[in-house]
Amino acid sequence: MSAAVTPANGQRRWTRLLARWETLLVVAVVGLVALGASLSPFFLTPGNFSNLVAALMEVAIMALPMTLIIVAAEIDLSVESMAGLASAILGFLWAAGVPLWIGIPVVLVVGALGGLMNGLLVARGGLPSLVVTLGTLALFRGLALIVLGPRGVSDFPPAFTELGFGHVPGTLIPWPFVVFVLLALVLGILLHRTWVGRQIYAIGKNPGTARFSGVRVTRVRVGLFVLSGLIAALAGIILTSRLSSARADAGSGMTLTVVTVVLLGGVNIFGGSGTIPGVALAVLAVAVMQNALRLASVTVEVQSIALGLLLILSVVIPTFAHQAKSALDRVRGGRPPPADSIAHGEAALS
Amino acid sequence: MAKSGVTARGGAGRTRGPWLSTVARQRELSLVAIMVVLGALVSIGAPQFLTPSNLSQVASLASIIAIAAVGQALVVITRNIDLSVEAMMGLVAYCVAIVLERHVLDAPAAIAFGLGLGLVLGMINGVIVTLLRVPAIVATLGTLSIFRGVDYLVAGSHQVPLAGLPPGFTDAARDSILGIPIFVLVALVVVVIGSVVLRSTRFGRQVYAVGSNPEAAAILGIPSRLIVFTAFSLCGLLSGVAGVLWVMQFGTINGTSATGVVLSVVAAVVVGGVAIFGGSGSLAGAALGALFLGFIANALILVGLSQFWLQAIYGVVILVAISADALILRRIQRATAARRAR
Amino acid sequence: MERRSSGRFIALASVAVLIFAACSSGSTSSPSAAVPTAAPAGGLTVGYLPKDIVNQYFAAAKTGVDKAAGETGGKVIQVGPNEAKADLQIPFITDLTTQKVSAIIISADGKDEVAPSLKAAMKAGIKVVGFDSSPAVGAYDVFVNQVDFSGVGVNLSDWACELAPSCTGDIAILSAAATATNQNAWIDLMKTTLATDKYKGLKLVDTVYGDDDATKSTTQAQALLTKYPNLKVIVAPTTVGILAAAQVVAQAGKSATVKVTGLGFPNDMKPFVKDGTSPVFGLWSVPDLGYLSYMVAAKLVSGEITGKEGETFTVKGLNGDQPYTIGKDSVVILGPAFRFDATNVDNFNF
């Protein structure tokens, strides 16, 4: 939903709240939890929450910068390959005897550099991000394979494995979840409460206007891709830790889930609208759904179908809801609501 | 997708007649030229490269991707994208294989069934994009999951072995007519028919119009949604063709068949000069792009370079291709602006 | 507008249903059982987690598992990913743990990746039986090895020697996943064997990985034929790979000059024994492997064995009713590999 101002007259606040995508997501999460509890007696056990989130945390962490990127009307398909490259380099360095406290920062720098490459090609080179990041999707994965080959490196120290697989002492909260929450807070504040965030929305809505308004479009764009690469590298490190194994093919297939989660979170694929809380809720919804269905022995295939349907519905429902609303408004004789309050998906289609 | 790209292309909705064909021909010629040079270089180190048997095997394999790439190119020219291609191929491949294994249909009927299934799947994509107004990238991301999920569901843990197919069914992958492998002939037919339709029919011109400027197309009265729907349906049909060929090529089919193909298909389209913004590009270019990528993969193997270099090289090729595109475009725009200024 | 689109939807849905009915008529039962209830009185609930649920090898093993469960009044839940990747196995392990199954029978895609979650399962009181491909030492109670590793290494070398003219020429290995514990162990031992005098005429030119995926294995086999025109034998210690390689060689018309051997199912390979592509290959009774694994799990749960080295137990119908002894690292060996050739392949049906 748009962060811009919506009209005050003719619409009561609570109806506006109800119509927000985030509210729908909260309802969905509650519904899915109820579904999960009904499908399996093990769903509401304490240990289950930990399992529920654990497998999805790398995707969740990468979904946060992806949100900013898609709001800015770009996309970064290369995140899964950067995670793999991070894993490969970390493993390579560790196997070569380089201690982790050097290896991890090196990997993070590589992530930022990869993001820089994406950012420069898109922002300075003017190339479409879809294709650039498709190219780097292949390139980074290729580099990972060149660095580590088909082998895996797995003799990491237990302290490192604890990061990905262990919990905050005394609780059942997995460490990666803590990372996710912290990152969500930081990026949420960045997007929703700072000047930089408003610039990102402006670029997404209309880069030409944004530039004329003094927004440093190129700089912001490059920064977003650098952030995405950096976080993807972090996700790769966490993945390596959780699996206690560094592999060149780590993370493969994750980009799809990341983009799905972001879109499910209410972010408009054409840019200009979307929120971090929405995406965080979508992460929760998907995690609950996958866990509940797995516990109920619903096959992975059906889950895949469910996810795809959810994604399409997430665009269809607001579109029809809006059309119903404008039809109702027309009947009532009021003026149609301005473009800003339109749910995502309507915007630029013919 | 980036809106800045729209302004970068500029221009009104009129078809870029001369530009289209010049740029397209440049791309196709450069691809052919690079392949020739590559062929010469590789054959120095590995003489097996230029043998007819190797070349026909490479061309056959590439033909499957090429046919899917032609379908994808159609969709991309209308300023959309279809990420579900591999799932459509996999689902058609499995359904055709299982139908043959259980003797429900004989070979010709099974092939027709596969094509029909592909068409239906493509139409589903078309409906979601045009009627439900879901942006193509979201819609096909969704149908990618759905179709692949259906494929796994239908297949379960079953696998159709080569022995389950009617004898001779897979021969088409290795047979040739007049020295040209059958798969390559199929791809050629597809490209030729498609190109003729695109260049010489009203429908073809409308496809380019919708892709280069949808607003202007709407003003001109072009039925954009019907055009887009048709593009997606044809993409599905061609994915179905590719799926059938897949069965003939590999013989053993299960629920995971054709996973990971979408990168090659989109890469082929991009390398082939079809602009991701729509409105330009040729089907022949997309097919050549597929052939080009297949050649590189084969050359790598023969030169002895580890297969692990393949992904990295694909990535570089894609980046170089779009950079070249952008440079050419900018030169054309500068030339146009200069001419207008005079 | 909405009514028209829903009408179209219904039409499409009916077509879809018709198509699925055609495709799935009589298809084999879907891999997952119904919602698990409490364990049947007096019986166990065992989670069966193969490398992936598409590989026919594990379907064959499951017939043995099911048979043992049927005889002892137990229940088997099959779960697993569609691709043989270790990180995909982890959520299934954690879910089986949540569901408090009595035991988990697992063939690990990667020995270290699954170790933390298996150890957590063991801590929760669940017995872990590895089979086919071992998890890391310490992450299982007993590992049922299908065959003596060093024996297989010698067998593979012997068969290659037998099929290469005068035990001389180029040979190549087409394996499964690069991380597969079992294949890697067999290949290492094969290489050690090949280094001895008897095999000095054989030259191992390449080892490629087909990831137990039919398509990839086919492509790899084709690449081998293209790259090494003087190749004499392809050794594929995986049932998926050997079938793919044999198909490729036979279809290329090269059965006279290139031979294929390794580990394969008699039913798959019968036509290739007949046409000379694969005159010799081997395996063991895969159903028996499943049977033994289940019985070991049952004995662990009942307390009859604990997995310590030196313990013995007997399983009626296997090993000639002689007792099995648990060896180092809690490994139990099913038995020696069995050689198939033209004289006996028709006697077997699996």
Side-chain angles (χ1 to χ4, degrees), chain B residues 211-224:
Chain B
S212 45
N213 197 322
E215 290 90 11
I219 294 175
L220 289 170
I222 293 174
S224 325

Side-chain angles (χ1 to χ4, degrees), chain A residues 261-343:
Chain A
V261 163
V262 171
L263 294 176
L264 261 171
V267 177
N268 186 339
I269 192 68
F270 294 118
S273 71
T275 67
I276 290 279
V279 173
L281 281 171
V283 166
L284 198 57
V286 171
V288 169
M289 184 189 83
Q290 286 186 333
N291 177 265
L293 291 180
R294 262 202 323 264
L295 281 177
S297 294
V298 170
T299 56
V300 175
E301 306 66 274
V302 174
Q303 291 183 38
S304 181
I305 297 176
L307 200 64
L309 278 172
L310 232 98
L311 182 62
I312 294 179
L313 286 175
S314 78
V315 175
V316 170
I317 292 179
T319 310
F320 281 141
H322 165 68
Q323 288 186 333
K325 208 149 60 89
S326 11
L328 273 173
D329 281 337
R330 253 178 271 130
V331 164
R332 265 198 236 119
R335 57 180 172 85
D340 278 10
S341 66
I342 294 174

Side-chain angles (χ1 to χ4, degrees), chain A residues 42 154 243 245 252 294-295, chain C residues 85 90 95 98-99 112-113:
Chain A
F42 301 107
S154 40
L243 300 180
S245 133
S252 87
R294 262 202 323 264
L295 281 177
Chain C
K85 293 167 98 186
I90 295 176
D95 285 343
T98 310
Q99 292 170 309
D112 293 304
E113 289 88 336

Side-chain angles (χ1 to χ4, degrees), chain A residues 25-26 28-30 32-33 43 49 52-53 56-57 60 177 180 261 264-265 276-292 310:
Chain A
L25 280 174
V26 171
V29 171
V30 170
L32 283 169
V33 170
F43 185 72
F49 169 75
L52 193 147
V53 292
L56 205 59
M57 280 302 104
F177 185 71
F180 169 66
V261 163
L264 261 171
I276 290 279
V279 173
L281 281 171
V283 166
L284 198 57
V286 171
V288 169
M289 184 189 83
Q290 286 186 333
N291 177 265
L310 232 98

Side-chain angles (χ1 to χ4, degrees), chain A:
Chain A
M1 299 289 287
S2 167
V5 175
T6 47
N9 54 352
Q11 285 184 313
R12 273 170 270 171
R13 274 191 102 199
W14 64 268
T15 46
R16 259 190 3 255
L17 193 64
L18 272 182
R20 285 177 67 100
W21 184 249
E22 287 77 5
T23 317
L24 232 90
L25 280 174
V26 171
V27 170
V29 171
V30 170
L32 283 169
V33 170
L35 178 74
S38 72
L39 281 177
S40 166
F42 301 107
F43 185 72
L44 290 175
T45 53
N48 192 39
F49 169 75
S50 167
N51 298 335
L52 193 147
V53 292
L56 205 59
M57 280 302 104
E58 292 93 15
V59 165
I61 288 169
M62 290 197 287
L64 295 169
M66 184 68 82
T67 305
L68 271 60
I69 285 193
I70 295 186
V71 168
E74 305 288 349
I75 193 163
D76 186 353
L77 297 176
S78 66
V79 287
E80 66 173 56
S81 301
M82 179 47 79
L85 182 57
S87 184
I89 294 181
L90 192 66
F92 178 77
L93 289 176
W94 176 251
V98 176
L100 285 175
W101 63 266
I102 297 183
I104 291 180
V106 166
V107 164
L108 290 175
V109 166
V110 169
L113 286 175
L116 184 65
M117 178 180 179
N118 280 330
L120 289 175
L121 283 171
V122 171
R124 306 285 309 275
L127 301 175
S129 56
L130 182 68
V131 188
V132 167
T133 55
L134 191 73
T136 48
L137 172 75
L139 178 62
F140 294 162
R141 183 68 67 188
L143 289 174
L145 284 166
I146 292 173
V147 163
L148 203 54
R151 62 190 172 111
V153 174
S154 40
D155 50 350
F156 290 103
F160 179 63
T161 314
E162 258 303 289
L163 166 67
F165 200 78
H167 306 137
V168 175
T171 70
L172 285 165
I173 303 175
W175 281 114
F177 185 71
V178 174
V179 174
F180 169 66
V181 168
L182 286 173
L183 200 59
L185 281 171
V186 168
L187 289 185
I189 293 175
L190 181 75
L191 184 64
H192 298 298
R193 288 273 180 270
T194 68
W195 168 225
V196 176
R198 282 204 285 282
Q199 287 181 321
I200 296 176
Y201 277 110
I203 295 172
K205 286 218 189 81
N206 195 324
T209 314
R211 195 171 268 126
F212 286 133
S213 313
V215 172
R216 309 284 205 95
V217 173
T218 308
R219 199 170 291 195
V220 172
R221 277 199 183 126
V222 172
L224 285 177
F225 279 103
V226 169
L227 180 69
S228 179
L230 180 68
I231 302 295
L234 176 64
I237 295 172
I238 295 179
L239 184 64
T240 307
S241 159
R242 182 166 69 88
L243 300 180
S244 63
S245 133
R247 308 269 329 268
D249 68 357
S252 87
M254 277 190 178
T255 300
L256 212 68
T257 320
V258 171
V259 175
T260 303
V261 163
V262 171
L263 294 176
L264 261 171
V267 177
N268 186 339
I269 192 68
F270 294 118
S273 71
T275 67
I276 290 279
V279 173
L281 281 171
V283 166
L284 198 57
V286 171
V288 169
M289 184 189 83
Q290 286 186 333
N291 177 265
L293 291 180
R294 262 202 323 264
L295 281 177
S297 294
V298 170
T299 56
V300 175
E301 306 66 274
V302 174
Q303 291 183 38
S304 181
I305 297 176
L307 200 64
L309 278 172
L310 232 98
L311 182 62
I312 294 179
L313 286 175
S314 78
V315 175
V316 170
I317 292 179
T319 310
F320 281 141
H322 165 68
Q323 288 186 333
K325 208 149 60 89
S326 11
L328 273 173
D329 281 337
R330 253 178 271 130
V331 164
R332 265 198 236 119
R335 57 180 172 85
D340 278 10
S341 66
I342 294 174
H344 72 272
E346 245 294 291
L349 277 174
S350 52

Side-chain angles (χ1 to χ4, degrees), chain C:
Chain C
M1 148 80 174
E2 290 172 47
R3 231 178 294 143
R4 240 184 29 219
S5 70
S6 46
R8 220 173 279 212
F9 245 128
I10 293 173
L12 278 168
S14 347
V15 174
V17 166
L18 285 170
I19 291 172
F20 300 154
C23 286
S24 59
S25 50
S27 75
T28 51
S29 60
S30 73
S32 203
V35 177
T37 52
L44 324 168
T45 308
V46 168
Y48 176 68
L49 178 49
K51 277 185 186 170
D52 68 65
I53 51 173
V54 185
N55 194 331
Q56 302 303 293
Y57 181 86
F58 298 106
K62 184 161 185 286
T63 61
V65 174
D66 287 338
K67 180 160 165 250
E71 285 171 9
T72 57
K75 194 163 132 74
V76 178
I77 312 174
Q78 175 177 263
V79 294
N82 278 299
E83 289 173 79
K85 293 167 98 186
D87 55 320
L88 295 178
Q89 284 186 313
I90 295 176
F92 292 107
I93 300 174
T94 52
D95 285 343
L96 286 172
T97 311
T98 310
Q99 292 170 309
K100 298 205 204 319
V101 294
S102 324
I104 298 177
I105 300 178
I106 176 174
S107 171
D109 283 315
K111 67 186 209 325
D112 293 304
E113 289 88 336
V114 298
S117 41
L118 284 177
K119 284 187 189 155
M122 287 163 74
K123 231 168 115 188
I126 299 176
K127 301 297 178 195
V128 174
V129 174
F131 81 106
D132 174 62
S133 179
S134 175
V137 176
Y140 58 82
D141 290 299
V142 172
F143 172 56
V144 178
N145 196 345
Q146 48 224 347
V147 77
D148 179 8
F149 280 162
S150 52
V152 167
V154 173
N155 289 333
L156 292 170
S157 313
D158 275 339
W159 298 331
C161 176
E162 192 180 322
L163 294 177
S166 317
C167 197
T168 309
D170 290 346
I171 65 173
I173 297 179
L174 169 59
S175 182
T179 50
T181 331
N182 45 349
Q183 272 91 8
N184 286 345
W186 298 331
I187 293 174
D188 284 339
L189 285 155
M190 185 179 161
K191 286 185 184 165
T192 319
T193 315
L194 286 174
T196 63
D197 245 9
K198 173 177 173 199
Y199 308 95
K200 62 178 196 280
L202 293 176
K203 181 160 162 255
L204 178 62
V205 293
D206 208 348
T207 306
V208 296
Y209 300 97
D211 289 347
D212 267 346
D213 175 70
T215 309
K216 248 185 237 171
S217 303
T218 307
T219 320
Q220 292 286 36
Q222 283 168 337
L224 281 177
L225 287 184
T226 312
K227 197 167 167 192
Y228 303 104
N230 293 323
L231 194 63
K232 294 284 178 284
V233 184
I234 298 180
V235 181
T238 142
T239 53
V240 176
I242 193 178
L243 180 58
Q247 276 170 208
V248 164
V249 168
Q251 288 179 327
K254 296 205 164 142
S255 304
T257 47
V258 182
K259 302 293 179 192
V260 175
T261 186
L263 301 169
F265 283 115
N267 281 356
D268 283 342
M269 302 303 289
K270 275 177 200 163
F272 301 106
V273 174
K274 304 252 166 30
D275 72 9
T277 315
S278 189
V280 177
F281 63 97
L283 198 63
W284 41 82
S285 170
V286 181
D288 280 350
L289 177 67
Y291 190 89
L292 178 59
S293 303
Y294 185 93
M295 285 310 191
V296 167
K299 290 178 194 293
L300 280 167
V301 172
S302 72
E304 186 184 326
I305 56 175
T306 63
K308 247 176 47 163
E309 184 179 346
E311 286 178 348
T312 64
F313 62 92
T314 318
V315 176
K316 193 156 171 305
L318 290 185
N319 205 18
D321 287 345
Q322 297 298 305
Y324 285 100
T325 312
I326 299 183
K328 183 167 173 297
D329 287 338
S330 305
V331 175
V332 168
I333 300 181
L334 175 69
F338 190 87
R339 173 199 159 103
F340 296 108
D341 58 33
T343 63
N344 63 8
V345 74
D346 283 324
N347 302 338
F348 296 91
N349 185 17
F350 66 91

